[in-house]
Amino acid sequence: MLIGTFCTLLTAAGLGVAFLVAKRRRYATALRVAAFSLLPVGLAMTGVVRFVLNMTFNPVAWAGLGVIGLAVLIFFVAGFADRRGAGGAGQAAAEPAAQAPALPAKRGRAAAPAAAPADDFSDIEAILKKHGI
């Protein structure tokens, strides 16, 4: 009974504010305020307010919310671990991709001789010796 009285008073106050806003010729805003002010009575009439109040002071309901929170946490941790590759299948699938060649061989040209990269390092070694490193 107290819930219905409180929600009715809240709705009456909201409709009063909507009336004052309508007097200032802001009709769209007044309609929005009136719509929001009717919500408390509607929620009280459907029993949603009583349900929420009964759930708020029920320790079993709070324990249930804790279990739901734990389930959501475990779900996100599993997704994070899967993305990081901690799973066996994810790690096994990543290894062959790492061994694949980075660039395909060029067609129409002969492969560069193996001594060419050594020439590049000899230039670097000469520069470092020149600077005394």
Side-chain angles (χ1 to χ4, degrees):
M1 179 122 172
L2 184 63
I3 295 170
T5 305
F6 179 73
C7 289
T8 303
L9 289 174
L10 193 59
T11 297
L15 290 175
V17 170
F19 178 73
L20 292 175
V21 171
K23 281 180 81 172
R24 294 183 183 173
R25 297 192 185 268
R26 294 183 174 174
Y27 299 115
T29 305
L31 286 174
R32 284 189 197 103
V33 171
F36 280 115
S37 66
L38 290 172
L39 286 177
V41 166
L43 291 173
M45 293 172 89
T46 58
V48 172
V49 175
R50 180 166 291 149
F51 172 74
V52 170
L53 287 175
N54 288 338
M55 188 178 77
T56 303
F57 298 111
N58 187 355
V60 175
W62 284 104
L65 284 175
V67 169
I68 290 171
L70 180 65
V72 169
L73 179 69
I74 290 171
F75 182 77
F76 283 124
V77 167
F80 179 73
D82 193 31
R83 267 188 272 129
R84 299 278 291 168
Q91 204 172 24
E95 288 177 8
Q99 295 173 356
L103 297 174
K106 295 181 182 179
R107 295 182 185 176
R109 290 187 176 178
D119 293 337
D120 291 336
F121 290 121
S122 64
D123 293 340
I124 294 171
E125 287 176 4
I127 294 171
L128 290 174
K129 285 181 183 178
K130 179 180 173 184
H131 290 286
I133 298 177

